[in-house]
Amino acid sequence: MKERIEKITEELNALKCKTEKEVEDARVRLLGKKGEITQLFDEFRTIAPELKREFGQKLNVLKKDAMAKIEELKAAAAASGASAGSGEDTTMPGEPHQLGSRHPVSIAREQIVNIFRKFGYDVAEGPEIEDDYHVFEALNFPPNHPARDMQDTFFVSNGHLNPLLLRTHTSSVQVRTMEKSQLPIRVVCPGRVFRNEAISARAHCIFHQVEGLYIDENVTFADLKQAILLFAREMFGPETEIRMRPSYFPFTEPSAEVDVSCNICHGKGCNICKGTGWLEILGCGMVDPNVLEASGIDSKKYSGFAFGMGVERIAMLKWQVNDLRHYFENDMRFLREFSTCVDV
Ligand code: PHE
């Protein structure tokens, strides 16, 4: 046993390993389950009792030295492997970071908001998880109106009088503004909205809106028309014309949908405007007196208009993108096309 301990000690002193694999092999050979040192410990149990003290000490020292040496070799191999073993030249310059750019939906939202800011509108935001009262009830939706139905709305909590839901439009922010602001009110509300709709080239279950509200004494439909016309010309170019078609929303009366003249064919008719020369951009109307009264505004003294538009839709028309889904897929080739766009 003495010779074998000495032999292993010599071997250990001379041991050299280049790679982590070699270190691991040496560890198994010496300290593994059937390793040379482990075997000596097994044999130690059978030797004469008077020899146990001497060899016990020697064996313990050998094992400790072996473990320390293996640790040392392992650290050295790992350190050299990191630089030389990976084949990388660590003196090469690093890869440059590519400069990112703003998302087209953010650019479009900013452009819309900035136009209205120039007209003197404030910006208001509100919660995305809303209650039924602010999304529907205060906006004159009759109790059984289909827009409250599970088909359109993602409900967060159910069963009581004023359930929580994901807002389906940012008109809820207009209600919150009417509740707490002093008159007159001139505000735009940008934000994310949610509708339980099948995803297609023209619809998505998450999209963005900018809605606007203007309340003062003697506000008329002519003011609404003028505000929308000015907005359309800022957004789509100075030659842009608008037309209004009668429509229905529970919270406005009268209500209208607004089209702009097609900015591609300039009214002649093309495949973007489906040959009509017009593109629909938003819904609007005079705020229904019931809505004003629900928020504590005297509808005999005050009147106002409201409008709401989808940011993705405006962005599609402005940049002639034919599929809404491009805005949500984050394909770098698509996003890079907008890297030179700036806010107006
Ligand atoms: N809230 C409406 C929608 O989401 C848009 C709208 C706003 C219409 C204000 C009229 C007035 O479709």
Side-chain angles (χ1 to χ4, degrees):
M1 177 164 277
K2 190 164 172 234
E3 287 95 67
R4 280 167 66 198
I5 292 177
E6 276 165 8
K7 196 173 148 262
I8 296 174
T9 309
E10 263 171 42
E11 240 178 63
L12 200 59
N13 288 339
L15 186 62
K16 286 204 173 67
C17 297
K18 283 205 197 80
T19 64
E20 287 177 84
K21 165 97 176 49
E22 281 177 29
V23 182
E24 179 57 13
D25 290 347
R27 188 192 67 77
V28 172
R29 183 156 40 78
L30 295 170
L31 296 161
K33 263 197 187 154
K34 293 196 179 120
E36 291 172 34
I37 297 176
T38 318
Q39 272 175 22
L40 285 180
F41 270 91
D42 287 345
E43 284 167 31
F44 173 73
R45 276 193 243 122
T46 60
I47 64 173
E50 63 273 19
L51 296 174
K52 281 217 160 155
R53 195 182 150 84
E54 185 196 340
F55 282 118
Q57 268 178 359
K58 285 206 160 101
L59 271 179
N60 278 334
V61 170
L62 178 65
K63 186 171 177 185
K64 231 173 94 196
D65 287 352
M67 281 163 60
K69 179 90 185 195
I70 294 285
E71 279 310 309
E72 192 185 299
L73 289 170
K74 205 180 194 168
S80 69
S83 55
S86 62
E88 259 175 47
D89 181 352
T90 53
T91 63
M92 293 285 281
E95 272 185 35
H97 285 291
Q98 283 201 350
L99 201 58
S101 57
R102 310 247 320 280
H103 191 279
V105 172
S106 297
I107 298 171
R109 186 197 54 206
E110 204 81 348
Q111 290 187 351
I112 298 165
V113 168
N114 282 347
I115 290 169
F116 284 103
R117 251 196 243 265
K118 276 199 279 188
F119 298 165
Y121 285 68
D122 290 329
V123 179
E125 290 190 16
E128 291 178 352
I129 299 177
E130 258 292 3
D131 53 24
D132 181 275
Y133 177 80
H134 287 93
V135 175
F136 297 127
E137 194 169 329
L139 287 163
N140 203 32
F141 279 81
N144 295 317
H145 194 282
R148 295 176 185 223
D149 201 293
M150 296 292 239
Q151 300 297 311
D152 298 308
T153 308
F154 290 112
F155 285 90
V156 174
S157 72
N158 221 336
H160 53 86
L161 281 174
N162 190 19
L164 289 179
L165 41 88
L166 300 182
R167 65 182 179 195
T168 55
H169 52 188
T170 57
S171 304
S172 51
V173 186
Q174 304 179 353
V175 175
R176 288 186 179 275
T177 307
M178 285 189 282
E179 283 170 350
K180 64 172 200 280
S181 302
Q182 290 204 326
L183 294 160
I185 291 172
R186 217 174 337 177
V187 75
V188 279
C189 315
R192 197 155 48 154
V193 299
F194 308 83
R195 287 183 197 178
N196 190 5
E197 288 195 28
I199 296 169
S200 70
R202 295 170 59 89
H204 208 286
C205 54
I206 301 176
F207 60 101
H208 299 79
Q209 280 190 327
V210 176
E211 295 215 355
L213 177 69
Y214 184 13
I215 301 174
D216 201 348
E217 290 177 39
N218 304 318
V219 178
T220 67
F221 202 91
D223 299 318
L224 166 63
K225 195 172 171 190
Q226 192 62 16
I228 301 297
L229 178 65
L230 286 176
F231 162 73
R233 290 193 170 159
E234 289 277 327
M235 194 72 199
F236 296 105
E239 289 92 44
T240 310
E241 295 296 339
I242 63 166
R243 74 173 183 187
M244 292 177 132
R245 287 177 286 111
S247 183
Y248 171 78
F249 299 101
F251 35 91
T252 48
E253 180 60 37
S255 305
E257 247 149 287
V258 178
D259 300 336
V260 290
S261 52
C262 179
N263 58 341
I264 298 156
C265 62
H266 301 287
K268 284 190 210 83
C270 66
N271 60 350
I272 299 282
C273 61
K274 301 207 179 70
T276 63
W278 296 97
L279 300 160
E280 186 192 321
I281 57 160
L282 56 81
C284 62
M286 301 307 289
V287 181
D288 192 295
N290 285 346
V291 173
L292 296 175
E293 296 290 341
S295 294
I297 295 173
D298 182 355
S299 64
K300 300 216 169 48
K301 189 165 174 211
Y302 291 99
S303 56
F305 63 73
F307 56 87
M309 66 190 93
V311 177
E312 283 82 358
R313 176 151 183 86
I314 299 283
M316 281 171 83
L317 299 178
K318 186 162 171 111
W319 293 309
Q320 288 132 42
V321 173
N322 58 9
D323 193 324
L324 187 84
R325 289 167 291 196
H326 286 306
Y327 289 122
F328 299 94
E329 282 165 3
N330 286 332
D331 184 328
M332 294 293 283
R333 292 165 301 180
F334 174 74
L335 296 179
R336 274 202 201 104
E337 289 187 34
F338 300 90
S339 59
T340 54
C341 283
V342 287
D343 299 341
V344 287

